[in-house]
C-alpha cells in the first residue's frame, strides 16, 4: 500500500505536465535525465524500491548518490540497474576522503560510479572561508585525487558558493582550480550555488572548460540576493527555467566543453511538484 501511494502521488503530479511538452521536444538537451539522490532524501528512507520506481517513471536514467540506507552499494546498484538507472557519480565527505580515499574509491566502484564528488570544505566561519582553508583543501584534494585516479575514479570538487571570496584579483575558487593538479582534480558545477556566490555559471564554464565534468542543475528564486555563506532557505530552490540562473546557457556551454552528466537537484519542500516540471523544461530545450 505504501509503495502504491508513493507512486500514485508522483504519477498525479507528473500527469498533465508532460502531455503538452512531449510534443514539443527540443534539441538542446540531448543527455540522459539525471537526478541527485539528495532530492529524494525524504523518500529513500521510507521505501527504496518505490522511490526508484518513481525515478524510473519520471524517465530518470542516471543517479548521483550513494547506497540508500539499508542497502549495500552492490545491492543498491542492482536495484538501480533493474530499473535502467546507472550511477555515474557518487559523493564523499571531506574528512572521510582525507582519512581513507582508497576505501571511498572501492565504494564508488561497487556502485558502478566513474566520478566521486566532494561538496563541502570545512571552514570555521560561515561566510568567511579563508585562504588558509582553501590552501589546505588544495593539498588535500591533490592527495585524494591521486589515490582515486590510481583506483580508476575521477575526483570532482562541487562548489558551494562560499569559495567565491575575493582573492588576488579573482576568487578563492580560482585559486583552488589553478592550484589543483588537473590530472587528479576535476570539478562539478552547482549552478545555483555558483550564482548565489556571485559567479556567473556560463562564464565559469567558459573560463575553466573541461576541468568541469559534472553539473548540478538548480535554479534560484527571482529576487533572492546571493551571498558568500553557501546557504539559502530551501524554498529558494525553484523549478528549472523559472528563476535567475541561465539554465539553457549552462547546458549549451556544457555541451560545447564535453560535459555528459547533468543531475537535477531540488532541495525545496515541494520537490515532488517541481521535479516533473524541471524534467519537462529540459526536454523542451
Amino acid at each position: 500500500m505504501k509503495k502504491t501511494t508513493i507512486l500514485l502521488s508522483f504519477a498525479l503530479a507528473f500527469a498533465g505536465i508532460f502531455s503538452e511538452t512531449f510534443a514539443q521536444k527540443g534539441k538542446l538537451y540531448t543527455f540522459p535525465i539525471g537526478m541527485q539522490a539528495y532530492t529524494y532524501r525524504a523518500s529513500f528512507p521510507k521505501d527504496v524500491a518505490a522511490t526508484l520506481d518513481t525515478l524510473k517513471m519520471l524517465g530518470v536514467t542516471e543517479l548521483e548518490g550513494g547506497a540508500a540506507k539499508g542497502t549495500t552499494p552492490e545491492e543498491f546498484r542492482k536495484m538501480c540497474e533493474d530499473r535502467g538507472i546507472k550511477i555515474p557519480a557518487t559523493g564523499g565527505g571531506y574528512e572521510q576522503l582525507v582519512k581513507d580515499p582508497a576505501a571511498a574509491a572501492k565504494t564508488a566502484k561497487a556502485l558502478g560510479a566513474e566520478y566521486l564528488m566532494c561538496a563541502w570544505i570545512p571552514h570555521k566561519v560561515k561566510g568567511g572561508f579563508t585562504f588558509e582553508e582553501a590552501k589546505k583543501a588544495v593539498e588535500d584534494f591533490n592527495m585524494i585525487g591521486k589515490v582515486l585516479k590510481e583506483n580508476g575514479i575521477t575526483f570532482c570538487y562541487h562548489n558551494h558558493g562560499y569559495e567565491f571570496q575575493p582573492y588576488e584579483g579573482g576568487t578563492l575558487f580560482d585559486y583552488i582550480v589553478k592550484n589543483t593538479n588537473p590530472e587528479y582534480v576535476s570539478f562539478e558545477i552547482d549552478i545555483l550555488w555558483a550564482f548565489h556566490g556571485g559567479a556567473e555559471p556560463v562564464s565559469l564554464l567558459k573560463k575553466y572548460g573541461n576541468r568541469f565534468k559534472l553539473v548540478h542543475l538548480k535554479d534560484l528564486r527571482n529576487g533572492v540576493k546571493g551571498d558568500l555563506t553557501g546557504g539559502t532557505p530551501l524554498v529558494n530552490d525553484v523549478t528549472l527555467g523559472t528563476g535567475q540562473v541561465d539554465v539553457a546557457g549552462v547546458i549549451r556551454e556544457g555541451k560545447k566543453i564535453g560535459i555528459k552528466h547533468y543531475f537535477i537537484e531540488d532541495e525545496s519542500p515541494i520537490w515532488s511538484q517541481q521535479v516533473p516540471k524541471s524534467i519537462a523544461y529540459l526536454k523542451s530545450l
Side-chain angles (χ1 to χ4, degrees):
M1 178 63 71
K2 182 189 292 183
K3 178 177 179 179
T4 302
T5 301
I6 292 173
L7 287 173
L8 180 59
S9 65
F10 277 91
L12 290 172
F14 190 78
I17 295 170
F18 277 89
S19 60
E20 296 180 0
T21 56
F22 273 155
Q24 298 181 349
K25 185 175 181 180
K27 297 181 180 180
L28 176 59
Y29 192 86
T30 55
F31 305 96
I33 298 296
M35 189 67 61
Q36 219 302 324
Y38 190 70
T39 301
Y40 288 80
R41 61 196 178 279
S43 298
F44 273 117
K46 296 176 182 177
D47 194 324
V48 177
T51 303
L52 291 175
D53 287 341
T54 298
L55 292 174
K56 178 182 178 181
M57 181 191 69
L58 289 168
V60 172
T61 57
E62 291 193 344
L63 187 68
E64 180 185 64
K69 187 176 181 180
T71 69
T72 67
E74 292 82 3
E75 289 168 345
F76 189 67
R77 177 181 180 178
K78 177 66 164 52
M79 293 179 76
C80 288
E81 289 178 344
D82 287 347
R83 294 162 175 81
I85 300 171
K86 295 182 179 179
I87 308 173
T90 186
Y94 187 102
E95 293 88 351
Q96 191 59 38
L97 289 170
V98 170
K99 181 180 179 181
D100 196 346
K106 183 178 179 180
T107 299
K109 292 174 79 171
L111 289 164
E114 179 183 352
Y115 300 95
L116 191 157
M117 67 87 171
C118 176
W120 193 264
I121 298 170
H123 51 285
K124 293 180 180 179
V125 179
K126 185 176 182 179
F129 184 58
T130 67
F131 169 73
E132 289 72 21
E133 289 163 336
K135 184 173 183 292
K136 183 177 188 305
V138 164
E139 296 169 357
D140 289 337
F141 287 170
N142 283 329
M143 180 276 292
I144 293 165
K146 184 175 187 295
V147 174
L148 293 185
K149 183 178 181 182
E150 290 168 351
N151 285 273
I153 302 295
T154 298
F155 175 67
C156 295
Y157 174 62
H158 160 299
N159 66 274
H160 222 285
Y162 52 77
E163 314 89 343
F164 297 100
Q165 290 277 358
Y167 176 74
E168 292 190 348
T171 67
L172 286 176
F173 184 81
D174 294 319
Y175 171 82
I176 292 169
V177 177
K178 292 174 182 177
N179 288 276
T180 46
N181 188 335
E183 188 177 351
Y184 302 139
V185 181
S186 296
F187 293 84
E188 175 173 52
I189 183 171
D190 184 302
I191 63 177
L192 180 151
W193 289 125
F195 185 90
H196 191 266
E200 205 293 303
V202 175
S203 298
L204 210 56
L205 289 170
K206 289 180 178 179
K207 185 173 185 178
Y208 291 116
N210 66 6
R211 289 299 298 275
F212 286 107
K213 306 298 184 187
L214 309 168
V215 176
H216 272 189
L217 293 172
K218 303 167 73 171
D219 209 344
L220 181 66
R221 184 179 302 279
N222 287 318
V224 173
K225 186 177 180 180
D227 55 40
L228 294 168
T229 63
T232 192
L234 299 182
V235 295
N236 290 334
D237 272 39
V238 296
T239 302
L240 296 179
T242 68
Q244 301 182 59
V245 183
D246 181 8
V247 179
V250 164
I251 293 167
R252 189 174 293 110
E253 188 60 31
K255 203 168 189 176
K256 286 180 184 178
I257 63 180
I259 298 176
K260 298 178 180 178
H261 304 287
Y262 300 77
F263 305 103
I264 296 169
E265 184 179 35
D266 191 325
E267 300 186 45
S268 78
I270 55 170
W271 51 271
S272 62
Q273 299 173 39
Q274 293 188 167
V275 165
K277 295 177 183 178
S278 290
I279 293 174
Y281 169 76
L282 292 179
K283 288 183 173 290
S284 75
L285 294 177

